[in-house]
């Protein structure tokens, strides 16, 4: 099974709201990733967790806050977002961080009003 | 700086008309090159991993090859359901991040 699940599928939020995106995998993978994807552009890496520790933060604004409660779960907490943050947010996982394929979830379509 | 380019940007084929997509890369210490298929509004679907020059992988109508500077995704006798954006990504050095190319949007007309 190579499934990564994400909830919710769609999210509309105001600029003052606080919301969270959730990601789950049961493949025993030890690396998990958050990407942001704008229309007709490739995914852009935001964060990498390796063995439940944050290993890469690609200079993402502090209004995005990642959390890895355990090896199967990854959250992205959102607060005071801007309309330009509207995008498809993708979660991915890989067996580890070293040269292994990443498996992506279906994404959460986020709209910030 | 690691760079990945893809060509063409968009490709329209008739059903059954075979073609190739190109992914060129400039990286220090390639650890892996990955091909994905992405349908609109969905997450990328993993297709292939290639690790060293000369390596080839096949899956149904798709065949991926790798040289020291580029990779090709050959599509043989494509069908309309092969229409999608095809992304390649590389992982290099000791980093964990993927560097994605901009993608090739493929349309296969019946």
């Amino acid at each position: 099974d190579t499934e990564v699940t994400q909830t919710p599928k769609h999210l509309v939020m105001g600029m003052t709201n606080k919301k969270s995106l959730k990601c789950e995998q049961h493949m025993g993978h030890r690396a998990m990733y958050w990407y942001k994807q704008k229309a007709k552009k490739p995914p852009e890496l935001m964060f990498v967790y390796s063995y439940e520790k944050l290993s890469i933060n690609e200079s993402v604004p502090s209004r995005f806050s990642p959390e890895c409660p355990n090896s199967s779960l990854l959250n992205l907490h959102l607060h005071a977002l801007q309309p330009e943050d509207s995008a498809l947010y993708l979660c991915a996982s890989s067996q580890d961080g070293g040269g292994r394929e990443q498996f992506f979830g279906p994404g959460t379509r986020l709209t910030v009003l | 700086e690691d760079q990945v380019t893809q060509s063409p940007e968009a490709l329209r084929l008739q059903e059954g008309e075979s073609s190739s997509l190109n992914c060129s890369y400039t990286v220090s210490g390639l650890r892996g090159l990955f091909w994905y298929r992405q349908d609109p509004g969905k997450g990328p679907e993993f297709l292939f991993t290639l690790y060293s020059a000369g390596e080839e992988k096949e899956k149904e109508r798709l065949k991926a090859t790798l040289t020291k500077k580029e990779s090709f995704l050959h599509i043989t006798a494509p069908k309309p359901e092969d229409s999608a954006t095809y992304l390649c990504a590389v992982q290099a050095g000791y980093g964990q991040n993927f560097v994605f190319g901009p993608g090739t949007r493929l349309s296969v007309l019946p």
Side-chain angles (χ1 to χ4, degrees), chain A residues 1-72:
Chain A
D1 183 14
T2 56
E3 187 178 27
V4 176
T5 60
Q6 290 187 245
T7 56
K9 291 185 178 180
H10 302 276
L11 179 62
V12 179
M13 59 186 291
M15 295 168 62
T16 59
N17 292 158
K18 286 185 179 182
K19 296 287 184 182
S20 296
L21 309 184
K22 297 184 183 300
C23 173
E24 190 167 5
Q25 58 88 13
H26 293 289
M27 295 177 278
H29 288 174
R30 303 313 302 268
M32 296 185 76
Y33 311 78
W34 280 116
Y35 288 86
K36 173 183 178 179
Q37 187 176 27
K38 301 285 262 185
K40 296 189 177 181
K41 296 289 186 182
E44 295 178 32
L45 183 68
M46 300 175 71
F47 302 104
V48 180
Y49 273 85
S50 181
Y51 292 84
E52 299 160 53
K53 291 187 178 180
L54 184 64
S55 60
I56 294 179
N57 176 341
E58 291 285 2
S59 302
V60 179
S62 60
R63 57 186 184 268
F64 295 92
S65 176
E67 178 195 20
C68 189
N70 60 56
S71 59
S72 300

Side-chain angles (χ1 to χ4, degrees), chain A residues 31 33 35 37 40-45 48-50 55-56 58 88 90 96-107 109, chain B residues 6 31-32 34 36 38-46 48-49 51 87-88 91 94-103 105:
Chain A
Y33 311 78
Y35 288 86
Q37 187 176 27
K40 296 189 177 181
K41 296 289 186 182
E44 295 178 32
L45 183 68
V48 180
Y49 273 85
S50 181
S55 60
I56 294 179
E58 291 285 2
L88 182 68
L90 294 163
D96 54 40
R100 301 293 191 122
E101 53 272 8
Q102 295 178 17
F103 294 96
F104 285 81
R109 171 67 61 188
Chain B
Q6 291 187 247
R31 300 187 75 181
F34 309 87
Y36 289 85
Q38 186 172 27
D39 294 306
K42 297 187 177 181
E45 175 189 346
F46 170 71
F48 302 109
T49 303
Y51 289 111
L87 296 162
C88 78
Q91 192 178 49
Y94 294 100
Q96 292 176 292
N97 56 305
F98 274 17
V99 177
F100 277 92
R105 292 191 308 278

